[in-house]
Amino acid sequence: MRAVTIASPGSGRKLAFSQVETPLPGPGEVLLRVEAAGVNRADALQIAGYYPPPPGAPPWPGLEVAGVVVATGEPGGDAVPAGPGVGDAVVALLEGGGYAQYAVARSAQTLPVPDGVPLADAAALPEAVCTAWTNLVDTAGLRPGEWVLVHGGSGGVGSIAVQLAQALGAHVVATAGGPDRAARVRGLGADVVVDHRADDVVAAVREATGGRGVDVVLDVLGGGGLADNVRALAPRGRLVVIGLQQGRRGELDLAAVLAKHLTVTGTTLRSRTPAEKAALVAVVRERVWPLLAAGQVRPVVHARVPLERAEDALAMLDRGEVFGKVLLTP
Ligand SMILES: NC(=O)c1ccc[n+]([C@@H]2O[C@H](COP(=O)([O-])OP(=O)(O)OC[C@H]3O[C@@H](n4cnc5c(N)ncnc54)[C@H](OP(=O)(O)O)[C@@H]3O)[C@@H](O)[C@H]2O)c1
């Protein structure tokens, strides 16, 4: 099969479209013919040499795909009893290896393609939905009626987080860069959208919440956003950091943490164990898949790029022009 391989890790992002061995599904795994692969910032980090794949994963990037099962491994491993069979259309959360014509996935990390969602578009879902769900619900404990600030409602994760939080009955303030992107985030259902390039996000949060602040912040900025995020939180607010686009270090005003009884935390998806990922995929299937089938949450696909032009897709992310997700199509 052909895959997008890393020709020279770390040096100017040189990718190749190479002939490689088609992987074989092991116990509890399936082999997918890839219809589309989601492109993530973590892929760019891996290609740059900063984010090595976990042991056993293929060396080529790709954390999520949609495709059709063409072979199944022996039962066992962490297979679920109702795992997919040959011919089934699924999406999968991978340890790596999605930038290819075929990819191996753990059965327990696959989900059926939701009713009403085109197979290729569904590749935009696994990373974003699992990340949004686990951080908003498991980590932040977002409840109906609460306010949440979603930084980057225009992004792959943010575009899903805005819709999901709305569907869960929360009120959403979201940010986006520029008036056009802000208008599109409003179209996803956010109550208030702030153009982070032009407007003061904390002031907008206070205005939207009658001065109280938001209960939850879903943050992709990291260090550079820390002070404002703490200022934006209401008493007993929860800040969940999932991205470090403005650096890994910041100054935390502990007096505000104490006075407002705040929680400051963060998580990653990729580093979780297979059992943790299987449990997350199972709850996403139960809680989010019906929202997708009902059209309350939908994948946001910016563009489809042929697999062999993966560098162009990553460059689109670098330029900040992607709204939602960009997909690679073999
Ligand atoms: N922890 C995890 O498990 C996990 C999982 C998936 C992703 N992530 C991370 O989460 C982040 C988002 O992922 P993604 O896939 O959604 O990436 P993405 O599609 O590239 O989105 C990035 C978002 O950041 C926004 N942004 C950039 N500068 C901003 C600023 N100054 N203020 C507010 N927003 C700003 C962008 O908004 P505009 O372009 O509109 O300005 C865009 O919406 C990345 O850092 C990624 O690595 C973490």
Side-chain angles (χ1 to χ4, degrees):
M1 71 167 187
R2 308 269 270 173
V4 176
T5 56
I6 303 169
S8 51
S11 63
R13 196 153 76 197
K14 279 269 174 290
L15 297 177
F17 196 47
S18 311
Q19 196 72 31
V20 297
E21 284 288 309
T22 305
L24 291 172
E29 295 177 339
V30 291
L31 179 66
L32 303 176
R33 188 182 66 241
V34 176
E35 182 79 11
V39 176
N40 287 280
R41 282 177 184 268
D43 307 337
L45 287 177
Q46 177 178 334
I47 293 162
Y50 297 122
Y51 201 5
W60 48 92
L63 296 173
E64 58 184 340
V65 294
V68 176
V69 176
V70 293
T72 57
E74 295 296 313
D78 53 15
V80 284
V86 171
D88 288 349
V90 299
V91 298
L93 192 63
L94 305 176
E95 265 60 50
Y99 286 22
Q101 291 175 318
Y102 292 87
V104 162
R106 289 195 173 91
S107 295
Q109 287 174 215
T110 65
L111 290 147
V113 171
D115 290 343
V117 176
L119 173 57
D121 288 7
L125 295 171
E127 267 282 318
V129 170
C130 290
T131 301
W133 173 272
T134 194
N135 288 288
L136 289 174
V137 178
D138 298 333
T139 306
L142 182 67
R143 293 183 289 271
E146 288 193 320
W147 279 89
V148 57
L149 168 62
V150 177
H151 281 291
S154 46
V157 175
S159 59
I160 293 291
V162 166
Q163 299 178 73
L164 183 58
Q166 278 286 346
L168 295 173
H171 307 294
V172 180
V173 181
T175 68
D180 293 346
R181 293 169 75 78
R184 293 181 70 183
V185 175
R186 216 164 279 121
L188 295 175
D191 296 273
V192 176
V193 183
V194 191
D195 174 355
H196 64 76
R197 290 193 200 140
D199 298 319
D200 180 335
V201 176
V202 178
V205 161
R206 288 193 177 140
E207 191 184 328
T209 58
R212 189 177 156 270
V214 287
D215 302 286
V216 170
V217 176
L218 184 67
D219 176 58
V220 295
L221 302 176
L226 183 58
D228 277 352
N229 283 331
V230 167
R231 289 169 62 222
L233 281 170
R236 301 193 186 278
R238 292 87 74 194
L239 165 61
V240 188
V241 180
I242 61 163
L244 302 173
Q245 294 181 109
Q246 290 186 353
R248 59 192 292 179
R249 293 178 203 283
E251 196 168 282
L252 181 61
D253 177 0
L254 287 169
V257 174
L258 269 57
K260 293 201 278 184
H261 296 218
L262 304 181
T263 302
V264 178
T265 185
T267 77
T268 63
L269 189 55
R270 195 180 199 184
S271 62
R272 295 179 193 208
T273 64
E276 288 171 328
K277 287 179 185 165
L280 175 56
V281 164
V283 78
V284 156
R285 182 175 187 162
E286 187 189 322
R287 300 291 304 277
V288 188
W289 249 229
L291 301 174
L292 281 150
Q296 279 182 276
V297 177
R298 56 185 203 283
V300 181
V301 177
H302 177 82
R304 296 172 193 204
V305 173
L307 180 61
E308 60 271 29
R309 288 180 36 217
E311 284 190 19
D312 294 350
L314 290 159
M316 292 165 89
L317 264 190
D318 288 346
R319 291 193 296 269
E321 66 190 42
V322 176
F323 188 94
K325 298 282 288 206
V326 59
L327 305 179
L328 295 174
T329 51

